[in-house]
Structure formats: structure tokens, C-alpha cells
Amino acid sequence: MDRADITAALTLMPRVRGELDELEAGLLTMARGCGLTWHEIAFGPRLGTPRRPASATPA
């Protein structure tokens, strides 16, 4: 890899972050739709904190 390759890859990061945020929001919506609580969502994958992302709406 050279500098141009690394620079090109770094320019993609904002897009990747945005797509990952959309994926996470969709998964949270599906989880809530299946009846999972915020506690189950947070502790199921061993995230350690029952924190809800800012993009999620209260249910």
C-alpha cells in the first residue's frame, strides 16, 4: 500500500460510519419490534451498559 491507497481508504471512513449507524439503527428497531427491552439489547451482546443510542426513539 502506498500513501494514495491509504488516503483513499481514509476518505471512505465517513461513509462507512454512516452506513454502520444506519445498520445499527435498523437492528435496534428490529430488536425492539421483537419485544427486546433496552436492557436485553445492551447486555445481550455483552456491551456492558444499558445505553440507548441517540438515534433510537423511546418505546
Side-chain angles (χ1 to χ4, degrees):
M1 271 193 156
D2 62 15
R3 292 173 66 109
D5 292 332
I6 293 171
T7 301
L10 288 170
T11 62
L12 295 175
M13 291 310 300
R15 181 175 179 178
V16 170
R17 283 188 191 102
E19 290 178 8
L20 188 56
D21 285 347
E22 289 178 22
L23 175 62
E24 181 184 22
L27 289 170
L28 289 171
T29 299
M30 285 190 283
R32 293 293 289 157
C34 289
L36 272 73
T37 65
W38 287 115
H39 186 268
E40 291 171 316
I41 292 168
F43 288 101
R46 307 266 189 247
L47 296 177
T49 60
R51 190 177 66 185
R52 186 179 49 184
S55 62
T57 56

mmCIF file of all heavy atoms in Angstrom:
data_model
loop_
_atom_site.group_PDB
_atom_site.id
_atom_site.type_symbol
_atom_site.label_atom_id
_atom_site.label_comp_id
_atom_site.label_asym_id
_atom_site.label_seq_id
_atom_site.Cartn_x
_atom_site.Cartn_y
_atom_site.Cartn_z
ATOM 1 N N MET A 1 0.838 -1.181 0.000
ATOM 2 C CA MET A 1 0.000 0.000 0.000
ATOM 3 C C MET A 1 0.879 1.239 0.000
ATOM 4 O O MET A 1 1.874 1.289 0.696
ATOM 5 C CB MET A 1 -0.857 0.049 1.261
ATOM 6 C CG MET A 1 -2.145 -0.637 1.153
ATOM 7 S SD MET A 1 -3.168 -0.146 2.560
ATOM 8 C CE MET A 1 -4.714 -0.464 1.843
ATOM 9 N N ASP A 2 0.434 2.212 -0.726
ATOM 10 C CA ASP A 2 1.180 3.472 -0.720
ATOM 11 C C ASP A 2 0.303 4.578 -0.118
ATOM 12 O O ASP A 2 -0.821 4.341 0.306
ATOM 13 C CB ASP A 2 1.652 3.838 -2.128
ATOM 14 C CG ASP A 2 0.502 4.049 -3.115
ATOM 15 O OD1 ASP A 2 -0.650 4.195 -2.670
ATOM 16 O OD2 ASP A 2 0.771 4.081 -4.327
ATOM 17 N N ARG A 3 0.840 5.771 -0.077
ATOM 18 C CA ARG A 3 0.134 6.906 0.533
ATOM 19 C C ARG A 3 -1.209 7.167 -0.127
ATOM 20 O O ARG A 3 -2.199 7.475 0.540
ATOM 21 C CB ARG A 3 1.001 8.153 0.453
ATOM 22 C CG ARG A 3 2.233 8.088 1.322
ATOM 23 C CD ARG A 3 3.138 9.271 1.059
ATOM 24 N NE ARG A 3 2.509 10.521 1.466
ATOM 25 C CZ ARG A 3 2.875 11.243 2.499
ATOM 26 N NH1 ARG A 3 3.908 10.871 3.226
ATOM 27 N NH2 ARG A 3 2.241 12.350 2.795
ATOM 28 N N ALA A 4 -1.260 7.042 -1.440
ATOM 29 C CA ALA A 4 -2.517 7.296 -2.161
ATOM 30 C C ALA A 4 -3.593 6.280 -1.758
ATOM 31 O O ALA A 4 -4.767 6.641 -1.591
ATOM 32 C CB ALA A 4 -2.281 7.261 -3.663
ATOM 33 N N ASP A 5 -3.204 5.018 -1.602
ATOM 34 C CA ASP A 5 -4.160 3.987 -1.190
ATOM 35 C C ASP A 5 -4.708 4.274 0.208
ATOM 36 O O ASP A 5 -5.915 4.166 0.453
ATOM 37 C CB ASP A 5 -3.499 2.604 -1.187
ATOM 38 C CG ASP A 5 -3.147 2.113 -2.576
ATOM 39 O OD1 ASP A 5 -3.819 2.511 -3.547
ATOM 40 O OD2 ASP A 5 -2.195 1.315 -2.680
ATOM 41 N N ILE A 6 -3.809 4.636 1.108
ATOM 42 C CA ILE A 6 -4.231 4.912 2.480
ATOM 43 C C ILE A 6 -5.127 6.145 2.530
ATOM 44 O O ILE A 6 -6.166 6.158 3.202
ATOM 45 C CB ILE A 6 -3.008 5.069 3.403
ATOM 46 C CG1 ILE A 6 -2.298 3.719 3.508
ATOM 47 C CG2 ILE A 6 -3.419 5.584 4.775
ATOM 48 C CD1 ILE A 6 -0.960 3.761 4.202
ATOM 49 N N THR A 7 -4.753 7.172 1.787
ATOM 50 C CA THR A 7 -5.569 8.386 1.740
ATOM 51 C C THR A 7 -6.955 8.079 1.178
ATOM 52 O O THR A 7 -7.978 8.538 1.697
ATOM 53 C CB THR A 7 -4.874 9.470 0.903
ATOM 54 O OG1 THR A 7 -3.604 9.757 1.496
ATOM 55 C CG2 THR A 7 -5.693 10.739 0.839
ATOM 56 N N ALA A 8 -7.000 7.281 0.128
ATOM 57 C CA ALA A 8 -8.285 6.908 -0.470
ATOM 58 C C ALA A 8 -9.139 6.134 0.525
ATOM 59 O O ALA A 8 -10.347 6.383 0.651
ATOM 60 C CB ALA A 8 -8.059 6.090 -1.734
ATOM 61 N N ALA A 9 -8.519 5.212 1.247
ATOM 62 C CA ALA A 9 -9.262 4.429 2.233
ATOM 63 C C ALA A 9 -9.785 5.331 3.346
ATOM 64 O O ALA A 9 -10.930 5.179 3.796
ATOM 65 C CB ALA A 9 -8.375 3.330 2.814
ATOM 66 N N LEU A 10 -8.976 6.260 3.796
ATOM 67 C CA LEU A 10 -9.403 7.169 4.862
ATOM 68 C C LEU A 10 -10.566 8.057 4.431
ATOM 69 O O LEU A 10 -11.430 8.388 5.249
ATOM 70 C CB LEU A 10 -8.230 8.035 5.330
ATOM 71 C CG LEU A 10 -7.175 7.298 6.148
ATOM 72 C CD1 LEU A 10 -5.953 8.192 6.342
ATOM 73 C CD2 LEU A 10 -7.737 6.847 7.479
ATOM 74 N N THR A 11 -10.616 8.414 3.165
ATOM 75 C CA THR A 11 -11.719 9.257 2.698
ATOM 76 C C THR A 11 -13.052 8.509 2.713
ATOM 77 O O THR A 11 -14.110 9.133 2.711
ATOM 78 C CB THR A 11 -11.468 9.807 1.282
ATOM 79 O OG1 THR A 11 -11.379 8.722 0.367
ATOM 80 C CG2 THR A 11 -10.206 10.650 1.228
ATOM 81 N N LEU A 12 -13.002 7.183 2.734
ATOM 82 C CA LEU A 12 -14.226 6.383 2.768
ATOM 83 C C LEU A 12 -14.805 6.234 4.172
ATOM 84 O O LEU A 12 -15.961 5.838 4.331
ATOM 85 C CB LEU A 12 -13.960 4.991 2.193
ATOM 86 C CG LEU A 12 -13.594 4.932 0.718
ATOM 87 C CD1 LEU A 12 -13.228 3.506 0.326
ATOM 88 C CD2 LEU A 12 -14.743 5.445 -0.134
ATOM 89 N N MET A 13 -14.026 6.536 5.191
ATOM 90 C CA MET A 13 -14.459 6.293 6.564
ATOM 91 C C MET A 13 -15.755 7.007 6.953
ATOM 92 O O MET A 13 -16.614 6.376 7.593
ATOM 93 C CB MET A 13 -13.336 6.617 7.552
ATOM 94 C CG MET A 13 -12.164 5.649 7.479
ATOM 95 S SD MET A 13 -12.631 3.895 7.545
ATOM 96 C CE MET A 13 -13.435 3.820 9.126
ATOM 97 N N PRO A 14 -15.964 8.263 6.609
ATOM 98 C CA PRO A 14 -17.250 8.884 6.969
ATOM 99 C C PRO A 14 -18.453 8.130 6.380
ATOM 100 O O PRO A 14 -19.478 7.958 7.051
ATOM 101 C CB PRO A 14 -17.140 10.296 6.401
ATOM 102 C CG PRO A 14 -15.668 10.566 6.379
ATOM 103 C CD PRO A 14 -15.043 9.239 6.028
ATOM 104 N N ARG A 15 -18.314 7.667 5.160
ATOM 105 C CA ARG A 15 -19.405 6.915 4.530
ATOM 106 C C ARG A 15 -19.632 5.581 5.249
ATOM 107 O O ARG A 15 -20.765 5.184 5.505
ATOM 108 C CB ARG A 15 -19.099 6.681 3.058
ATOM 109 C CG ARG A 15 -20.188 5.943 2.353
ATOM 110 C CD ARG A 15 -19.918 5.822 0.879
ATOM 111 N NE ARG A 15 -20.987 5.089 0.229
ATOM 112 C CZ ARG A 15 -21.051 4.867 -1.047
ATOM 113 N NH1 ARG A 15 -20.116 5.347 -1.840
ATOM 114 N NH2 ARG A 15 -22.048 4.189 -1.555
ATOM 115 N N VAL A 16 -18.541 4.903 5.581
ATOM 116 C CA VAL A 16 -18.640 3.628 6.292
ATOM 117 C C VAL A 16 -19.309 3.832 7.649
ATOM 118 O O VAL A 16 -20.190 3.065 8.034
ATOM 119 C CB VAL A 16 -17.243 2.985 6.459
ATOM 120 C CG1 VAL A 16 -17.281 1.787 7.388
ATOM 121 C CG2 VAL A 16 -16.678 2.587 5.103
ATOM 122 N N ARG A 17 -18.908 4.865 8.373
ATOM 123 C CA ARG A 17 -19.528 5.160 9.668
ATOM 124 C C ARG A 17 -21.025 5.416 9.516
ATOM 125 O O ARG A 17 -21.838 4.933 10.315
ATOM 126 C CB ARG A 17 -18.865 6.368 10.316
ATOM 127 C CG ARG A 17 -17.544 6.063 10.941
ATOM 128 C CD ARG A 17 -17.027 7.260 11.744
ATOM 129 N NE ARG A 17 -15.656 7.030 12.117
ATOM 130 C CZ ARG A 17 -14.599 7.572 11.520
ATOM 131 N NH1 ARG A 17 -14.765 8.420 10.532
ATOM 132 N NH2 ARG A 17 -13.376 7.295 11.925
ATOM 133 N N GLY A 18 -21.392 6.180 8.497
ATOM 134 C CA GLY A 18 -22.807 6.462 8.259
ATOM 135 C C GLY A 18 -23.598 5.207 7.967
ATOM 136 O O GLY A 18 -24.708 5.019 8.481
ATOM 137 N N GLU A 19 -23.040 4.329 7.152
ATOM 138 C CA GLU A 19 -23.730 3.088 6.815
ATOM 139 C C GLU A 19 -23.844 2.172 8.033
ATOM 140 O O GLU A 19 -24.863 1.517 8.229
ATOM 141 C CB GLU A 19 -23.025 2.383 5.664
ATOM 142 C CG GLU A 19 -23.188 3.118 4.341
ATOM 143 C CD GLU A 19 -22.463 2.460 3.179
ATOM 144 O OE1 GLU A 19 -21.935 1.343 3.346
ATOM 145 O OE2 GLU A 19 -22.438 3.072 2.100
ATOM 146 N N LEU A 20 -22.805 2.147 8.854
ATOM 147 C CA LEU A 20 -22.855 1.340 10.064
ATOM 148 C C LEU A 20 -23.891 1.890 11.045
ATOM 149 O O LEU A 20 -24.619 1.124 11.686
ATOM 150 C CB LEU A 20 -21.478 1.280 10.725
ATOM 151 C CG LEU A 20 -21.331 0.324 11.895
ATOM 152 C CD1 LEU A 20 -21.711 -1.102 11.517
ATOM 153 C CD2 LEU A 20 -19.909 0.367 12.416
ATOM 154 N N ASP A 21 -23.995 3.200 11.156
ATOM 155 C CA ASP A 21 -25.019 3.813 12.005
ATOM 156 C C ASP A 21 -26.420 3.425 11.535
ATOM 157 O O ASP A 21 -27.300 3.127 12.346
ATOM 158 C CB ASP A 21 -24.887 5.334 12.014
ATOM 159 C CG ASP A 21 -23.720 5.831 12.842
ATOM 160 O OD1 ASP A 21 -23.142 5.036 13.623
ATOM 161 O OD2 ASP A 21 -23.373 7.017 12.694
ATOM 162 N N GLU A 22 -26.631 3.411 10.223
ATOM 163 C CA GLU A 22 -27.921 3.020 9.675
ATOM 164 C C GLU A 22 -28.217 1.555 9.971
ATOM 165 O O GLU A 22 -29.354 1.200 10.317
ATOM 166 C CB GLU A 22 -27.968 3.268 8.173
ATOM 167 C CG GLU A 22 -28.021 4.732 7.793
ATOM 168 C CD GLU A 22 -28.017 4.952 6.286
ATOM 169 O OE1 GLU A 22 -28.391 4.014 5.542
ATOM 170 O OE2 GLU A 22 -27.644 6.053 5.856
ATOM 171 N N LEU A 23 -27.217 0.708 9.850
ATOM 172 C CA LEU A 23 -27.384 -0.713 10.147
ATOM 173 C C LEU A 23 -27.742 -0.911 11.611
ATOM 174 O O LEU A 23 -28.669 -1.652 11.947
ATOM 175 C CB LEU A 23 -26.103 -1.481 9.805
ATOM 176 C CG LEU A 23 -26.090 -2.963 10.173
ATOM 177 C CD1 LEU A 23 -27.173 -3.725 9.426
ATOM 178 C CD2 LEU A 23 -24.712 -3.554 9.897
ATOM 179 N N GLU A 24 -27.028 -0.222 12.499
ATOM 180 C CA GLU A 24 -27.305 -0.332 13.925
ATOM 181 C C GLU A 24 -28.723 0.135 14.245
ATOM 182 O O GLU A 24 -29.451 -0.528 14.996
ATOM 183 C CB GLU A 24 -26.301 0.484 14.734
ATOM 184 C CG GLU A 24 -26.539 0.380 16.236
ATOM 185 C CD GLU A 24 -25.603 1.262 17.035
ATOM 186 O OE1 GLU A 24 -25.070 2.246 16.487
ATOM 187 O OE2 GLU A 24 -25.425 0.960 18.224
ATOM 188 N N ALA A 25 -29.136 1.245 13.677
ATOM 189 C CA ALA A 25 -30.488 1.752 13.920
ATOM 190 C C ALA A 25 -31.532 0.740 13.451
ATOM 191 O O ALA A 25 -32.537 0.510 14.140
ATOM 192 C CB ALA A 25 -30.681 3.094 13.221
ATOM 193 N N GLY A 26 -31.306 0.125 12.309
ATOM 194 C CA GLY A 26 -32.232 -0.885 11.805
ATOM 195 C C GLY A 26 -32.297 -2.107 12.704
ATOM 196 O O GLY A 26 -33.378 -2.643 12.977
ATOM 197 N N LEU A 27 -31.149 -2.553 13.188
ATOM 198 C CA LEU A 27 -31.121 -3.705 14.086
ATOM 199 C C LEU A 27 -31.820 -3.388 15.407
ATOM 200 O O LEU A 27 -32.541 -4.235 15.949
ATOM 201 C CB LEU A 27 -29.678 -4.141 14.352
ATOM 202 C CG LEU A 27 -28.970 -4.805 13.179
ATOM 203 C CD1 LEU A 27 -27.481 -4.973 13.495
ATOM 204 C CD2 LEU A 27 -29.604 -6.146 12.851
ATOM 205 N N LEU A 28 -31.620 -2.182 15.908
ATOM 206 C CA LEU A 28 -32.299 -1.796 17.142
ATOM 207 C C LEU A 28 -33.807 -1.732 16.943
ATOM 208 O O LEU A 28 -34.573 -2.161 17.809
ATOM 209 C CB LEU A 28 -31.774 -0.446 17.641
ATOM 210 C CG LEU A 28 -30.354 -0.471 18.196
ATOM 211 C CD1 LEU A 28 -29.863 0.939 18.439
ATOM 212 C CD2 LEU A 28 -30.282 -1.305 19.460
ATOM 213 N N THR A 29 -34.232 -1.215 15.807
ATOM 214 C CA THR A 29 -35.660 -1.167 15.504
ATOM 215 C C THR A 29 -36.248 -2.578 15.446
ATOM 216 O O THR A 29 -37.314 -2.846 16.003
ATOM 217 C CB THR A 29 -35.904 -0.431 14.175
ATOM 218 O OG1 THR A 29 -35.422 0.907 14.302
ATOM 219 C CG2 THR A 29 -37.373 -0.414 13.795
ATOM 220 N N MET A 30 -35.522 -3.489 14.793
ATOM 221 C CA MET A 30 -35.995 -4.881 14.718
ATOM 222 C C MET A 30 -36.025 -5.524 16.098
ATOM 223 O O MET A 30 -36.983 -6.227 16.435
ATOM 224 C CB MET A 30 -35.110 -5.698 13.784
ATOM 225 C CG MET A 30 -35.355 -5.414 12.321
ATOM 226 S SD MET A 30 -34.522 -6.588 11.231
ATOM 227 C CE MET A 30 -32.854 -5.990 11.310
ATOM 228 N N ALA A 31 -34.993 -5.290 16.892
ATOM 229 C CA ALA A 31 -34.942 -5.871 18.236
ATOM 230 C C ALA A 31 -36.107 -5.380 19.086
ATOM 231 O O ALA A 31 -36.766 -6.164 19.766
ATOM 232 C CB ALA A 31 -33.607 -5.531 18.905
ATOM 233 N N ARG A 32 -36.358 -4.078 19.042
ATOM 234 C CA ARG A 32 -37.477 -3.524 19.809
ATOM 235 C C ARG A 32 -38.803 -4.071 19.282
ATOM 236 O O ARG A 32 -39.705 -4.367 20.048
ATOM 237 C CB ARG A 32 -37.462 -1.998 19.764
ATOM 238 C CG ARG A 32 -36.273 -1.388 20.495
ATOM 239 C CD ARG A 32 -36.316 -1.615 21.980
ATOM 240 N NE ARG A 32 -37.377 -0.798 22.523
ATOM 241 C CZ ARG A 32 -38.002 -1.036 23.667
ATOM 242 N NH1 ARG A 32 -37.663 -2.057 24.393
ATOM 243 N NH2 ARG A 32 -38.958 -0.247 24.083
ATOM 244 N N GLY A 33 -38.900 -4.214 17.954
ATOM 245 C CA GLY A 33 -40.113 -4.762 17.353
ATOM 246 C C GLY A 33 -40.370 -6.204 17.757
ATOM 247 O O GLY A 33 -41.515 -6.654 17.796
ATOM 248 N N CYS A 34 -39.300 -6.929 18.083
ATOM 249 C CA CYS A 34 -39.429 -8.314 18.543
ATOM 250 C C CYS A 34 -39.670 -8.399 20.042
ATOM 251 O O CYS A 34 -39.764 -9.482 20.598
ATOM 252 C CB CYS A 34 -38.162 -9.103 18.190
ATOM 253 S SG CYS A 34 -38.002 -9.433 16.433
ATOM 254 N N GLY A 35 -39.729 -7.224 20.692
ATOM 255 C CA GLY A 35 -40.042 -7.208 22.109
ATOM 256 C C GLY A 35 -38.855 -7.169 23.049
ATOM 257 O O GLY A 35 -39.024 -7.252 24.265
ATOM 258 N N LEU A 36 -37.644 -7.048 22.540
ATOM 259 C CA LEU A 36 -36.488 -6.960 23.420
ATOM 260 C C LEU A 36 -36.509 -5.627 24.158
ATOM 261 O O LEU A 36 -36.871 -4.598 23.587
ATOM 262 C CB LEU A 36 -35.180 -7.058 22.630
ATOM 263 C CG LEU A 36 -34.634 -8.469 22.386
ATOM 264 C CD1 LEU A 36 -35.477 -9.190 21.358
ATOM 265 C CD2 LEU A 36 -33.200 -8.400 21.947
ATOM 266 N N THR A 37 -36.110 -5.662 25.419
ATOM 267 C CA THR A 37 -36.020 -4.438 26.199
ATOM 268 C C THR A 37 -34.661 -3.800 25.936
ATOM 269 O O THR A 37 -33.740 -4.443 25.417
ATOM 270 C CB THR A 37 -36.149 -4.727 27.703
ATOM 271 O OG1 THR A 37 -35.016 -5.507 28.118
ATOM 272 C CG2 THR A 37 -37.446 -5.462 28.018
ATOM 273 N N TRP A 38 -34.523 -2.532 26.352
ATOM 274 C CA TRP A 38 -33.216 -1.879 26.194
ATOM 275 C C TRP A 38 -32.164 -2.614 27.016
ATOM 276 O O TRP A 38 -31.017 -2.725 26.618
ATOM 277 C CB TRP A 38 -33.297 -0.408 26.598
ATOM 278 C CG TRP A 38 -34.021 0.409 25.585
ATOM 279 C CD1 TRP A 38 -35.205 1.054 25.750
ATOM 280 C CD2 TRP A 38 -33.629 0.661 24.224
ATOM 281 N NE1 TRP A 38 -35.568 1.686 24.585
ATOM 282 C CE2 TRP A 38 -34.614 1.455 23.633
ATOM 283 C CE3 TRP A 38 -32.538 0.273 23.452
ATOM 284 C CZ2 TRP A 38 -34.550 1.887 22.312
ATOM 285 C CZ3 TRP A 38 -32.463 0.691 22.134
ATOM 286 C CH2 TRP A 38 -33.466 1.493 21.580
ATOM 287 N N HIS A 39 -32.578 -3.139 28.158
ATOM 288 C CA HIS A 39 -31.647 -3.891 29.000
ATOM 289 C C HIS A 39 -31.157 -5.136 28.263
ATOM 290 O O HIS A 39 -29.959 -5.440 28.272
ATOM 291 C CB HIS A 39 -32.340 -4.264 30.317
ATOM 292 C CG HIS A 39 -31.426 -4.898 31.302
ATOM 293 N ND1 HIS A 39 -31.260 -6.244 31.399
ATOM 294 C CD2 HIS A 39 -30.613 -4.346 32.231
ATOM 295 C CE1 HIS A 39 -30.391 -6.516 32.347
ATOM 296 N NE2 HIS A 39 -29.983 -5.382 32.867
ATOM 297 N N GLU A 40 -32.063 -5.870 27.637
ATOM 298 C CA GLU A 40 -31.679 -7.069 26.887
ATOM 299 C C GLU A 40 -30.776 -6.715 25.711
ATOM 300 O O GLU A 40 -29.822 -7.436 25.410
ATOM 301 C CB GLU A 40 -32.918 -7.804 26.380
ATOM 302 C CG GLU A 40 -33.726 -8.444 27.481
ATOM 303 C CD GLU A 40 -35.060 -8.967 26.983
ATOM 304 O OE1 GLU A 40 -35.746 -8.250 26.215
ATOM 305 O OE2 GLU A 40 -35.413 -10.082 27.366
ATOM 306 N N ILE A 41 -31.081 -5.623 25.036
ATOM 307 C CA ILE A 41 -30.273 -5.203 23.894
ATOM 308 C C ILE A 41 -28.863 -4.854 24.350
ATOM 309 O O ILE A 41 -27.875 -5.256 23.733
ATOM 310 C CB ILE A 41 -30.937 -4.018 23.168
ATOM 311 C CG1 ILE A 41 -32.236 -4.472 22.491
ATOM 312 C CG2 ILE A 41 -29.971 -3.401 22.156
ATOM 313 C CD1 ILE A 41 -33.119 -3.343 21.998
ATOM 314 N N ALA A 42 -28.757 -4.139 25.451
ATOM 315 C CA ALA A 42 -27.443 -3.702 25.934
ATOM 316 C C ALA A 42 -26.617 -4.848 26.484
ATOM 317 O O ALA A 42 -25.419 -4.937 26.216
ATOM 318 C CB ALA A 42 -27.607 -2.629 27.004
ATOM 319 N N PHE A 43 -27.232 -5.730 27.244
ATOM 320 C CA PHE A 43 -26.471 -6.765 27.911
ATOM 321 C C PHE A 43 -26.420 -8.073 27.129
ATOM 322 O O PHE A 43 -25.574 -8.910 27.403
ATOM 323 C CB PHE A 43 -26.997 -6.997 29.323
ATOM 324 C CG PHE A 43 -26.653 -5.866 30.243
ATOM 325 C CD1 PHE A 43 -27.593 -4.908 30.565
ATOM 326 C CD2 PHE A 43 -25.370 -5.739 30.743
ATOM 327 C CE1 PHE A 43 -27.273 -3.850 31.391
ATOM 328 C CE2 PHE A 43 -25.042 -4.684 31.574
ATOM 329 C CZ PHE A 43 -25.992 -3.730 31.903
ATOM 330 N N GLY A 44 -27.281 -8.239 26.144
ATOM 331 C CA GLY A 44 -27.247 -9.452 25.322
ATOM 332 C C GLY A 44 -25.903 -9.655 24.645
ATOM 333 O O GLY A 44 -25.276 -10.696 24.791
ATOM 334 N N PRO A 45 -25.405 -8.653 23.931
ATOM 335 C CA PRO A 45 -24.102 -8.817 23.277
ATOM 336 C C PRO A 45 -22.935 -8.448 24.192
ATOM 337 O O PRO A 45 -21.827 -8.239 23.750
ATOM 338 C CB PRO A 45 -24.179 -7.856 22.091
ATOM 339 C CG PRO A 45 -25.123 -6.805 22.526
ATOM 340 C CD PRO A 45 -26.123 -7.493 23.436
ATOM 341 N N ARG A 46 -23.195 -8.344 25.492
ATOM 342 C CA ARG A 46 -22.153 -8.037 26.473
ATOM 343 C C ARG A 46 -21.529 -6.663 26.260
ATOM 344 O O ARG A 46 -20.331 -6.480 26.407
ATOM 345 C CB ARG A 46 -21.070 -9.106 26.479
ATOM 346 C CG ARG A 46 -21.579 -10.507 26.643
ATOM 347 C CD ARG A 46 -21.559 -10.908 28.102
ATOM 348 N NE ARG A 46 -21.857 -12.316 28.230
ATOM 349 C CZ ARG A 46 -22.973 -12.757 28.795
ATOM 350 N NH1 ARG A 46 -23.853 -11.917 29.240
ATOM 351 N NH2 ARG A 46 -23.195 -14.033 28.914
ATOM 352 N N LEU A 47 -22.349 -5.684 25.920
ATOM 353 C CA LEU A 47 -21.833 -4.339 25.734
ATOM 354 C C LEU A 47 -21.493 -3.675 27.059
ATOM 355 O O LEU A 47 -20.691 -2.761 27.108
ATOM 356 C CB LEU A 47 -22.837 -3.469 24.965
ATOM 357 C CG LEU A 47 -23.116 -3.920 23.531
ATOM 358 C CD1 LEU A 47 -24.171 -3.023 22.909
ATOM 359 C CD2 LEU A 47 -21.857 -3.906 22.704
ATOM 360 N N GLY A 48 -22.133 -4.117 28.127
ATOM 361 C CA GLY A 48 -21.774 -3.640 29.443
ATOM 362 C C GLY A 48 -22.579 -2.483 29.985
ATOM 363 O O GLY A 48 -22.599 -2.253 31.174
ATOM 364 N N THR A 49 -23.244 -1.714 29.145
ATOM 365 C CA THR A 49 -24.040 -0.608 29.653
ATOM 366 C C THR A 49 -25.378 -0.573 28.934
ATOM 367 O O THR A 49 -25.450 -0.802 27.736
ATOM 368 C CB THR A 49 -23.349 0.754 29.439
ATOM 369 O OG1 THR A 49 -23.147 0.950 28.046
ATOM 370 C CG2 THR A 49 -22.023 0.825 30.161
ATOM 371 N N PRO A 50 -26.432 -0.292 29.665
ATOM 372 C CA PRO A 50 -27.763 -0.209 29.047
ATOM 373 C C PRO A 50 -27.978 1.163 28.425
ATOM 374 O O PRO A 50 -28.910 1.869 28.743
ATOM 375 C CB PRO A 50 -28.701 -0.468 30.215
ATOM 376 C CG PRO A 50 -27.965 0.066 31.393
ATOM 377 C CD PRO A 50 -26.500 -0.206 31.107
ATOM 378 N N ARG A 51 -27.111 1.551 27.524
ATOM 379 C CA ARG A 51 -27.172 2.877 26.911
ATOM 380 C C ARG A 51 -27.895 2.793 25.583
ATOM 381 O O ARG A 51 -27.620 1.933 24.759
ATOM 382 C CB ARG A 51 -25.748 3.386 26.707
ATOM 383 C CG ARG A 51 -25.683 4.825 26.313
ATOM 384 C CD ARG A 51 -24.247 5.223 26.210
ATOM 385 N NE ARG A 51 -23.655 4.484 25.108
ATOM 386 C CZ ARG A 51 -22.379 4.525 24.796
ATOM 387 N NH1 ARG A 51 -21.558 5.214 25.496
ATOM 388 N NH2 ARG A 51 -21.918 3.847 23.774
ATOM 389 N N ARG A 52 -28.788 3.706 25.371
ATOM 390 C CA ARG A 52 -29.536 3.770 24.121
ATOM 391 C C ARG A 52 -28.884 4.789 23.211
ATOM 392 O O ARG A 52 -28.532 5.890 23.634
ATOM 393 C CB ARG A 52 -30.976 4.185 24.437
ATOM 394 C CG ARG A 52 -31.899 4.144 23.261
ATOM 395 C CD ARG A 52 -33.268 4.539 23.679
ATOM 396 N NE ARG A 52 -33.143 5.776 24.459
ATOM 397 C CZ ARG A 52 -34.154 6.363 25.055
ATOM 398 N NH1 ARG A 52 -35.327 5.879 25.015
ATOM 399 N NH2 ARG A 52 -33.959 7.472 25.733
ATOM 400 N N PRO A 53 -28.689 4.460 21.936
ATOM 401 C CA PRO A 53 -28.090 5.438 21.017
ATOM 402 C C PRO A 53 -29.002 6.640 20.803
ATOM 403 O O PRO A 53 -30.214 6.544 20.932
ATOM 404 C CB PRO A 53 -27.900 4.666 19.727
ATOM 405 C CG PRO A 53 -28.783 3.490 19.826
ATOM 406 C CD PRO A 53 -29.018 3.223 21.297
ATOM 407 N N ALA A 54 -28.412 7.769 20.487
ATOM 408 C CA ALA A 54 -29.169 8.997 20.300
ATOM 409 C C ALA A 54 -30.187 8.875 19.166
ATOM 410 O O ALA A 54 -31.228 9.517 19.192
ATOM 411 C CB ALA A 54 -28.210 10.148 20.007
ATOM 412 N N SER A 55 -29.922 8.002 18.191
ATOM 413 C CA SER A 55 -30.829 7.857 17.050
ATOM 414 C C SER A 55 -32.069 7.035 17.390
ATOM 415 O O SER A 55 -33.026 7.026 16.634
ATOM 416 C CB SER A 55 -30.094 7.211 15.885
ATOM 417 O OG SER A 55 -29.652 5.907 16.248
ATOM 418 N N ALA A 56 -32.052 6.328 18.514
ATOM 419 C CA ALA A 56 -33.184 5.473 18.875
ATOM 420 C C ALA A 56 -34.279 6.314 19.535
ATOM 421 O O ALA A 56 -34.014 7.259 20.252
ATOM 422 C CB ALA A 56 -32.724 4.387 19.821
ATOM 423 N N THR A 57 -35.499 5.921 19.267
ATOM 424 C CA THR A 57 -36.626 6.611 19.885
ATOM 425 C C THR A 57 -37.104 5.802 21.073
ATOM 426 O O THR A 57 -37.069 4.581 21.059
ATOM 427 C CB THR A 57 -37.775 6.787 18.879
ATOM 428 O OG1 THR A 57 -38.133 5.506 18.379
ATOM 429 C CG2 THR A 57 -37.383 7.713 17.745
ATOM 430 N N PRO A 58 -37.580 6.459 22.124
ATOM 431 C CA PRO A 58 -38.073 5.726 23.279
ATOM 432 C C PRO A 58 -39.312 4.920 22.940
ATOM 433 O O PRO A 58 -40.107 5.323 22.090
ATOM 434 C CB PRO A 58 -38.383 6.809 24.309
ATOM 435 C CG PRO A 58 -38.252 8.118 23.623
ATOM 436 C CD PRO A 58 -37.653 7.898 22.272
ATOM 437 N N ALA A 59 -39.456 3.800 23.582
ATOM 438 C CA ALA A 59 -40.635 2.956 23.342
ATOM 439 C C ALA A 59 -41.398 2.730 24.612
ATOM 440 O O ALA A 59 -40.931 2.890 25.683
ATOM 441 C CB ALA A 59 -40.210 1.621 22.759
#
